[in-house]
Amino acid sequence: MRAVVFDQPGDPDVLRLEEVPEPPLVAADQVRIRMLAAGVNPVDTKVRTGGMIVPGAPRNTPGCDGVGVIEACGSDVHHARPGQRVAFCFGGVGADPGTYAEQVVVPEAAVVPVPAAVTDLQAAALPLTWLTAWESLFERAELQRGQSVLVHAAAGGVGQMAVQIARAAGARVLGLVRREEARRLVTGLGGDVVDLTRPDAEASIRAYTDGRGFDIVLDTVGGDVFREGLTQVAYGGDLVTLLAPPADTDWNPARLRNPSISLELMLTPMLEGDRRRLRHQATLVAEGLARLASGRLQVNVEDSLPLAEAAEAHRRIEAGGRSGKLVLRIPE
């Protein structure tokens, strides 16, 4: 079979498409999947440039999101079956090969059936961003109806999911953007918007909650954005970040506001081999797919590329300025 591999961290050109052995079932609870599409996420580029989060084989394959058809099942697989089209988020950070491949092996706990109304591209684009947004809002911040939510980089993959999840839960949502295209996108998803390039942006953010601050602030960027979040969260509110807080953070604003500060990494169940938590995440992915199928959720797939153009997909992500997900088509 063919897979995208790289030997050493580097620029996108280290990614190459090669013939590799077909993956065997090595555990009784695994399924082998013939891939149809793989989502491309910013974490994939970070793995490529910085190396796998978990030490892996010398030839690594990136990619966490995927959709495909089950071809074989281990002896301890109870619900999945051959011929079933499934979506999942698993692999790609070192312990297991990722989804930029024609075949993958994943635990049954991670896979869920894909409704007929959901396309391969949509299913491949959903899992990682959906799980990150859902866990951030409900499992870290315990989002409640009527709360105010501030989403940084609201036109990004996680940001778009967060805006839709929060609005569907009955929250008031303000998304921060920097481009007119992003403003239109977030508005179309039901969120209010502040364009950070406007001179009155800071005043508009404060005015949204009459100066009280936001019940929940979601930081999808890190660095200075995390520091800004410390001043934007309401007294006793929740600040959730996808990145580690900067080492030189001034914590005095947080001490004054008494917020809860949470770190979110949806990859943890996979990294720790936690099958119970993987099954829980799979139920969340199933919920996202059901919303897609019924039209209650949008996944913006900006473009799809053949598997051989994985390096180009990484270049586009690193160039920024996108308003939708990139997906690799398998087969091409």
mmCIF file of all heavy atoms in Angstrom, residues 130-170:
data_model
loop_
_atom_site.group_PDB
_atom_site.id
_atom_site.type_symbol
_atom_site.label_atom_id
_atom_site.label_comp_id
_atom_site.label_asym_id
_atom_site.label_seq_id
_atom_site.Cartn_x
_atom_site.Cartn_y
_atom_site.Cartn_z
ATOM 1 N N TRP A 130 -14.140 19.000 16.030
ATOM 2 C CA TRP A 130 -15.387 18.842 16.781
ATOM 3 C C TRP A 130 -15.107 18.417 18.219
ATOM 4 O O TRP A 130 -15.658 18.992 19.171
ATOM 5 C CB TRP A 130 -16.272 17.818 16.077
ATOM 6 C CG TRP A 130 -17.441 17.343 16.882
ATOM 7 C CD1 TRP A 130 -17.506 16.202 17.640
ATOM 8 C CD2 TRP A 130 -18.707 17.984 17.033
ATOM 9 N NE1 TRP A 130 -18.731 16.087 18.241
ATOM 10 C CE2 TRP A 130 -19.492 17.167 17.891
ATOM 11 C CE3 TRP A 130 -19.265 19.153 16.528
ATOM 12 C CZ2 TRP A 130 -20.788 17.493 18.240
ATOM 13 C CZ3 TRP A 130 -20.560 19.481 16.878
ATOM 14 C CH2 TRP A 130 -21.314 18.664 17.728
ATOM 15 N N LEU A 131 -14.261 17.407 18.393
ATOM 16 C CA LEU A 131 -13.947 16.925 19.738
ATOM 17 C C LEU A 131 -13.276 18.012 20.568
ATOM 18 O O LEU A 131 -13.582 18.180 21.753
ATOM 19 C CB LEU A 131 -13.047 15.697 19.665
ATOM 20 C CG LEU A 131 -13.708 14.393 19.229
ATOM 21 C CD1 LEU A 131 -12.655 13.319 18.988
ATOM 22 C CD2 LEU A 131 -14.721 13.924 20.265
ATOM 23 N N THR A 132 -12.359 18.743 19.966
ATOM 24 C CA THR A 132 -11.659 19.795 20.703
ATOM 25 C C THR A 132 -12.635 20.869 21.180
ATOM 26 O O THR A 132 -12.591 21.298 22.340
ATOM 27 C CB THR A 132 -10.569 20.425 19.829
ATOM 28 O OG1 THR A 132 -9.620 19.416 19.450
ATOM 29 C CG2 THR A 132 -9.841 21.535 20.572
ATOM 30 N N ALA A 133 -13.520 21.301 20.288
ATOM 31 C CA ALA A 133 -14.482 22.344 20.657
ATOM 32 C C ALA A 133 -15.471 21.837 21.697
ATOM 33 O O ALA A 133 -15.775 22.523 22.681
ATOM 34 C CB ALA A 133 -15.220 22.829 19.411
ATOM 35 N N TRP A 134 -15.983 20.621 21.501
ATOM 36 C CA TRP A 134 -16.970 20.069 22.443
ATOM 37 C C TRP A 134 -16.357 19.895 23.831
ATOM 38 O O TRP A 134 -16.943 20.298 24.842
ATOM 39 C CB TRP A 134 -17.490 18.732 21.925
ATOM 40 C CG TRP A 134 -18.574 18.143 22.781
ATOM 41 C CD1 TRP A 134 -18.417 17.489 23.977
ATOM 42 C CD2 TRP A 134 -19.975 18.183 22.537
ATOM 43 N NE1 TRP A 134 -19.634 17.109 24.482
ATOM 44 C CE2 TRP A 134 -20.611 17.518 23.622
ATOM 45 C CE3 TRP A 134 -20.760 18.690 21.499
ATOM 46 C CZ2 TRP A 134 -21.998 17.367 23.691
ATOM 47 C CZ3 TRP A 134 -22.142 18.539 21.574
ATOM 48 C CH2 TRP A 134 -22.735 17.885 22.656
ATOM 49 N N GLU A 135 -15.195 19.272 23.897
ATOM 50 C CA GLU A 135 -14.562 19.056 25.198
ATOM 51 C C GLU A 135 -14.230 20.375 25.876
ATOM 52 O O GLU A 135 -14.380 20.513 27.095
ATOM 53 C CB GLU A 135 -13.314 18.201 25.037
ATOM 54 C CG GLU A 135 -13.598 16.755 24.650
ATOM 55 C CD GLU A 135 -12.345 15.896 24.547
ATOM 56 O OE1 GLU A 135 -11.235 16.428 24.763
ATOM 57 O OE2 GLU A 135 -12.488 14.700 24.250
ATOM 58 N N SER A 136 -13.781 21.354 25.096
ATOM 59 C CA SER A 136 -13.443 22.660 25.671
ATOM 60 C C SER A 136 -14.652 23.304 26.326
ATOM 61 O O SER A 136 -14.580 23.809 27.457
ATOM 62 C CB SER A 136 -12.886 23.590 24.587
ATOM 63 O OG SER A 136 -11.652 23.121 24.082
ATOM 64 N N LEU A 137 -15.770 23.293 25.616
ATOM 65 C CA LEU A 137 -16.945 24.021 26.089
ATOM 66 C C LEU A 137 -17.739 23.264 27.150
ATOM 67 O O LEU A 137 -18.191 23.859 28.129
ATOM 68 C CB LEU A 137 -17.860 24.345 24.904
ATOM 69 C CG LEU A 137 -17.287 25.338 23.885
ATOM 70 C CD1 LEU A 137 -18.218 25.473 22.692
ATOM 71 C CD2 LEU A 137 -17.049 26.704 24.520
ATOM 72 N N PHE A 138 -17.907 21.970 26.985
ATOM 73 C CA PHE A 138 -18.763 21.213 27.898
ATOM 74 C C PHE A 138 -18.003 20.483 28.998
ATOM 75 O O PHE A 138 -18.466 20.424 30.136
ATOM 76 C CB PHE A 138 -19.606 20.202 27.111
ATOM 77 C CG PHE A 138 -20.730 20.834 26.338
ATOM 78 C CD1 PHE A 138 -20.763 20.746 24.958
ATOM 79 C CD2 PHE A 138 -21.742 21.520 26.980
ATOM 80 C CE1 PHE A 138 -21.794 21.318 24.234
ATOM 81 C CE2 PHE A 138 -22.778 22.105 26.267
ATOM 82 C CZ PHE A 138 -22.800 22.007 24.887
ATOM 83 N N GLU A 139 -16.841 19.920 28.673
ATOM 84 C CA GLU A 139 -16.141 19.112 29.670
ATOM 85 C C GLU A 139 -15.101 19.912 30.449
ATOM 86 O O GLU A 139 -14.724 19.505 31.546
ATOM 87 C CB GLU A 139 -15.509 17.906 28.988
ATOM 88 C CG GLU A 139 -16.559 17.030 28.338
ATOM 89 C CD GLU A 139 -15.995 15.766 27.728
ATOM 90 O OE1 GLU A 139 -14.774 15.510 27.881
ATOM 91 O OE2 GLU A 139 -16.766 15.033 27.081
ATOM 92 N N ARG A 140 -14.650 21.014 29.929
ATOM 93 C CA ARG A 140 -13.738 21.891 30.667
ATOM 94 C C ARG A 140 -14.497 23.048 31.296
ATOM 95 O O ARG A 140 -14.338 23.349 32.464
ATOM 96 C CB ARG A 140 -12.643 22.430 29.736
ATOM 97 C CG ARG A 140 -11.847 21.369 29.006
ATOM 98 C CD ARG A 140 -10.986 20.514 29.936
ATOM 99 N NE ARG A 140 -10.472 19.353 29.204
ATOM 100 C CZ ARG A 140 -11.034 18.152 29.231
ATOM 101 N NH1 ARG A 140 -12.103 17.941 29.977
ATOM 102 N NH2 ARG A 140 -10.535 17.162 28.522
ATOM 103 N N ALA A 141 -15.345 23.723 30.514
ATOM 104 C CA ALA A 141 -16.014 24.937 30.992
ATOM 105 C C ALA A 141 -17.454 24.717 31.443
ATOM 106 O O ALA A 141 -18.055 25.616 32.019
ATOM 107 C CB ALA A 141 -15.977 26.004 29.899
ATOM 108 N N GLU A 142 -18.038 23.557 31.182
ATOM 109 C CA GLU A 142 -19.418 23.250 31.592
ATOM 110 C C GLU A 142 -20.385 24.321 31.114
ATOM 111 O O GLU A 142 -21.141 24.924 31.880
ATOM 112 C CB GLU A 142 -19.503 23.063 33.109
ATOM 113 C CG GLU A 142 -18.624 21.914 33.610
ATOM 114 C CD GLU A 142 -18.751 21.687 35.109
ATOM 115 O OE1 GLU A 142 -19.394 22.517 35.789
ATOM 116 O OE2 GLU A 142 -18.211 20.684 35.593
ATOM 117 N N LEU A 143 -20.385 24.546 29.819
ATOM 118 C CA LEU A 143 -21.229 25.549 29.180
ATOM 119 C C LEU A 143 -22.691 25.387 29.557
ATOM 120 O O LEU A 143 -23.228 24.277 29.573
ATOM 121 C CB LEU A 143 -21.072 25.423 27.653
ATOM 122 C CG LEU A 143 -21.996 26.268 26.776
ATOM 123 C CD1 LEU A 143 -21.717 27.749 26.964
ATOM 124 C CD2 LEU A 143 -21.843 25.850 25.316
ATOM 125 N N GLN A 144 -23.339 26.516 29.851
ATOM 126 C CA GLN A 144 -24.760 26.548 30.200
ATOM 127 C C GLN A 144 -25.506 27.529 29.286
ATOM 128 O O GLN A 144 -24.925 28.505 28.784
ATOM 129 C CB GLN A 144 -24.954 26.992 31.651
ATOM 130 C CG GLN A 144 -24.245 26.124 32.672
ATOM 131 C CD GLN A 144 -24.833 24.731 32.762
ATOM 132 O OE1 GLN A 144 -26.054 24.571 32.711
ATOM 133 N NE2 GLN A 144 -23.979 23.720 32.899
ATOM 134 N N ARG A 145 -26.774 27.254 29.081
ATOM 135 C CA ARG A 145 -27.626 28.156 28.288
ATOM 136 C C ARG A 145 -27.592 29.561 28.880
ATOM 137 O O ARG A 145 -27.622 29.745 30.091
ATOM 138 C CB ARG A 145 -29.058 27.627 28.254
ATOM 139 C CG ARG A 145 -30.049 28.534 27.544
ATOM 140 C CD ARG A 145 -31.417 27.899 27.431
ATOM 141 N NE ARG A 145 -31.370 26.733 26.571
ATOM 142 C CZ ARG A 145 -31.481 26.774 25.239
ATOM 143 N NH1 ARG A 145 -31.644 27.949 24.639
ATOM 144 N NH2 ARG A 145 -31.426 25.672 24.527
ATOM 145 N N GLY A 146 -27.529 30.553 28.004
ATOM 146 C CA GLY A 146 -27.563 31.943 28.423
ATOM 147 C C GLY A 146 -26.206 32.544 28.731
ATOM 148 O O GLY A 146 -26.112 33.759 28.943
ATOM 149 N N GLN A 147 -25.151 31.725 28.757
ATOM 150 C CA GLN A 147 -23.826 32.262 29.046
ATOM 151 C C GLN A 147 -23.258 32.995 27.833
ATOM 152 O O GLN A 147 -23.727 32.829 26.698
ATOM 153 C CB GLN A 147 -22.874 31.138 29.467
ATOM 154 C CG GLN A 147 -23.149 30.578 30.848
ATOM 155 C CD GLN A 147 -22.075 29.596 31.293
ATOM 156 O OE1 GLN A 147 -21.642 28.733 30.531
ATOM 157 N NE2 GLN A 147 -21.657 29.718 32.542
ATOM 158 N N SER A 148 -22.250 33.806 28.108
ATOM 159 C CA SER A 148 -21.536 34.509 27.036
ATOM 160 C C SER A 148 -20.224 33.791 26.764
ATOM 161 O O SER A 148 -19.512 33.388 27.692
ATOM 162 C CB SER A 148 -21.277 35.968 27.432
ATOM 163 O OG SER A 148 -20.526 36.033 28.637
ATOM 164 N N VAL A 149 -19.912 33.609 25.474
ATOM 165 C CA VAL A 149 -18.716 32.861 25.061
ATOM 166 C C VAL A 149 -17.924 33.709 24.084
ATOM 167 O O VAL A 149 -18.479 34.218 23.093
ATOM 168 C CB VAL A 149 -19.097 31.521 24.409
ATOM 169 C CG1 VAL A 149 -17.847 30.763 23.962
ATOM 170 C CG2 VAL A 149 -19.923 30.668 25.366
ATOM 171 N N LEU A 150 -16.632 33.840 24.337
ATOM 172 C CA LEU A 150 -15.720 34.536 23.429
ATOM 173 C C LEU A 150 -14.826 33.501 22.770
ATOM 174 O O LEU A 150 -14.158 32.719 23.458
ATOM 175 C CB LEU A 150 -14.873 35.550 24.193
ATOM 176 C CG LEU A 150 -13.856 36.336 23.354
ATOM 177 C CD1 LEU A 150 -14.566 37.258 22.366
ATOM 178 C CD2 LEU A 150 -12.917 37.152 24.253
ATOM 179 N N VAL A 151 -14.808 33.484 21.433
ATOM 180 C CA VAL A 151 -14.011 32.514 20.680
ATOM 181 C C VAL A 151 -12.943 33.254 19.898
ATOM 182 O O VAL A 151 -13.247 34.017 18.969
ATOM 183 C CB VAL A 151 -14.891 31.686 19.727
ATOM 184 C CG1 VAL A 151 -14.029 30.681 18.964
ATOM 185 C CG2 VAL A 151 -15.999 30.970 20.495
ATOM 186 N N HIS A 152 -11.690 33.053 20.258
ATOM 187 C CA HIS A 152 -10.576 33.613 19.499
ATOM 188 C C HIS A 152 -10.351 32.786 18.235
ATOM 189 O O HIS A 152 -10.537 31.563 18.240
ATOM 190 C CB HIS A 152 -9.310 33.614 20.353
ATOM 191 C CG HIS A 152 -9.304 34.658 21.418
ATOM 192 N ND1 HIS A 152 -8.765 35.915 21.215
ATOM 193 C CD2 HIS A 152 -9.763 34.644 22.699
ATOM 194 C CE1 HIS A 152 -8.895 36.627 22.320
ATOM 195 N NE2 HIS A 152 -9.504 35.881 23.238
ATOM 196 N N ALA A 153 -9.939 33.446 17.154
ATOM 197 C CA ALA A 153 -9.743 32.781 15.860
ATOM 198 C C ALA A 153 -10.994 31.979 15.493
ATOM 199 O O ALA A 153 -10.937 30.791 15.186
ATOM 200 C CB ALA A 153 -8.510 31.887 15.882
ATOM 201 N N ALA A 154 -12.117 32.672 15.493
ATOM 202 C CA ALA A 154 -13.408 31.995 15.342
ATOM 203 C C ALA A 154 -13.615 31.386 13.962
ATOM 204 O O ALA A 154 -14.481 30.524 13.800
ATOM 205 C CB ALA A 154 -14.537 32.973 15.645
ATOM 206 N N ALA A 155 -12.848 31.803 12.970
ATOM 207 C CA ALA A 155 -12.990 31.242 11.632
ATOM 208 C C ALA A 155 -12.098 30.033 11.408
ATOM 209 O O ALA A 155 -12.140 29.425 10.336
ATOM 210 C CB ALA A 155 -12.698 32.299 10.570
ATOM 211 N N GLY A 156 -11.289 29.668 12.402
ATOM 212 C CA GLY A 156 -10.464 28.471 12.297
ATOM 213 C C GLY A 156 -11.309 27.218 12.462
ATOM 214 O O GLY A 156 -12.507 27.277 12.775
ATOM 215 N N GLY A 157 -10.692 26.066 12.276
ATOM 216 C CA GLY A 157 -11.434 24.813 12.350
ATOM 217 C C GLY A 157 -12.118 24.606 13.684
ATOM 218 O O GLY A 157 -13.320 24.329 13.746
ATOM 219 N N VAL A 158 -11.381 24.733 14.789
ATOM 220 C CA VAL A 158 -11.974 24.590 16.119
ATOM 221 C C VAL A 158 -12.925 25.743 16.395
ATOM 222 O O VAL A 158 -14.004 25.559 16.966
ATOM 223 C CB VAL A 158 -10.884 24.512 17.195
ATOM 224 C CG1 VAL A 158 -11.502 24.504 18.591
ATOM 225 C CG2 VAL A 158 -10.022 23.272 17.004
ATOM 226 N N GLY A 159 -12.551 26.948 15.974
ATOM 227 C CA GLY A 159 -13.397 28.107 16.204
ATOM 228 C C GLY A 159 -14.768 27.973 15.580
ATOM 229 O O GLY A 159 -15.794 28.281 16.217
ATOM 230 N N GLN A 160 -14.832 27.500 14.351
ATOM 231 C CA GLN A 160 -16.124 27.332 13.687
ATOM 232 C C GLN A 160 -17.001 26.329 14.430
ATOM 233 O O GLN A 160 -18.207 26.537 14.585
ATOM 234 C CB GLN A 160 -15.915 26.863 12.247
ATOM 235 C CG GLN A 160 -15.316 27.916 11.339
ATOM 236 C CD GLN A 160 -15.206 27.434 9.902
ATOM 237 O OE1 GLN A 160 -16.115 26.789 9.377
ATOM 238 N NE2 GLN A 160 -14.109 27.738 9.259
ATOM 239 N N MET A 161 -16.393 25.231 14.874
ATOM 240 C CA MET A 161 -17.157 24.245 15.639
ATOM 241 C C MET A 161 -17.648 24.843 16.955
ATOM 242 O O MET A 161 -18.796 24.638 17.364
ATOM 243 C CB MET A 161 -16.301 23.011 15.903
ATOM 244 C CG MET A 161 -16.012 22.183 14.680
ATOM 245 S SD MET A 161 -17.522 21.450 14.029
ATOM 246 C CE MET A 161 -16.901 20.693 12.540
ATOM 247 N N ALA A 162 -16.779 25.591 17.633
ATOM 248 C CA ALA A 162 -17.143 26.169 18.926
ATOM 249 C C ALA A 162 -18.295 27.154 18.790
ATOM 250 O O ALA A 162 -19.214 27.180 19.625
ATOM 251 C CB ALA A 162 -15.925 26.848 19.554
ATOM 252 N N VAL A 163 -18.267 27.978 17.754
ATOM 253 C CA VAL A 163 -19.353 28.932 17.536
ATOM 254 C C VAL A 163 -20.668 28.188 17.383
ATOM 255 O O VAL A 163 -21.691 28.538 18.009
ATOM 256 C CB VAL A 163 -19.074 29.793 16.287
ATOM 257 C CG1 VAL A 163 -20.321 30.595 15.891
ATOM 258 C CG2 VAL A 163 -17.908 30.741 16.551
ATOM 259 N N GLN A 164 -20.686 27.132 16.579
ATOM 260 C CA GLN A 164 -21.932 26.398 16.328
ATOM 261 C C GLN A 164 -22.406 25.632 17.560
ATOM 262 O O GLN A 164 -23.595 25.605 17.871
ATOM 263 C CB GLN A 164 -21.737 25.445 15.156
ATOM 264 C CG GLN A 164 -21.480 26.157 13.834
ATOM 265 C CD GLN A 164 -21.276 25.178 12.701
ATOM 266 O OE1 GLN A 164 -22.223 24.673 12.102
ATOM 267 N NE2 GLN A 164 -20.013 24.887 12.403
ATOM 268 N N ILE A 165 -21.469 25.006 18.269
ATOM 269 C CA ILE A 165 -21.842 24.255 19.472
ATOM 270 C C ILE A 165 -22.434 25.192 20.523
ATOM 271 O O ILE A 165 -23.469 24.896 21.135
ATOM 272 C CB ILE A 165 -20.613 23.518 20.032
ATOM 273 C CG1 ILE A 165 -20.220 22.364 19.109
ATOM 274 C CG2 ILE A 165 -20.889 22.995 21.442
ATOM 275 C CD1 ILE A 165 -18.887 21.733 19.459
ATOM 276 N N ALA A 166 -21.773 26.322 20.738
ATOM 277 C CA ALA A 166 -22.232 27.252 21.766
ATOM 278 C C ALA A 166 -23.584 27.860 21.403
ATOM 279 O O ALA A 166 -24.467 27.998 22.254
ATOM 280 C CB ALA A 166 -21.195 28.341 21.996
ATOM 281 N N ARG A 167 -23.770 28.221 20.142
ATOM 282 C CA ARG A 167 -25.053 28.786 19.729
ATOM 283 C C ARG A 167 -26.175 27.757 19.889
ATOM 284 O O ARG A 167 -27.267 28.074 20.353
ATOM 285 C CB ARG A 167 -24.977 29.261 18.269
ATOM 286 C CG ARG A 167 -24.170 30.509 18.080
ATOM 287 C CD ARG A 167 -24.845 31.733 18.697
ATOM 288 N NE ARG A 167 -26.108 32.028 18.036
ATOM 289 C CZ ARG A 167 -27.293 32.080 18.646
ATOM 290 N NH1 ARG A 167 -27.389 31.858 19.953
ATOM 291 N NH2 ARG A 167 -28.391 32.378 17.984
ATOM 292 N N ALA A 168 -25.895 26.505 19.495
ATOM 293 C CA ALA A 168 -26.912 25.456 19.618
ATOM 294 C C ALA A 168 -27.285 25.199 21.070
ATOM 295 O O ALA A 168 -28.410 24.790 21.368
ATOM 296 C CB ALA A 168 -26.420 24.163 18.971
ATOM 297 N N ALA A 169 -26.349 25.484 21.986
ATOM 298 C CA ALA A 169 -26.605 25.295 23.417
ATOM 299 C C ALA A 169 -27.283 26.496 24.055
ATOM 300 O O ALA A 169 -27.532 26.501 25.259
ATOM 301 C CB ALA A 169 -25.287 25.005 24.138
ATOM 302 N N GLY A 170 -27.555 27.523 23.266
ATOM 303 C CA GLY A 170 -28.266 28.681 23.784
ATOM 304 C C GLY A 170 -27.381 29.758 24.367
ATOM 305 O O GLY A 170 -27.863 30.599 25.146
#
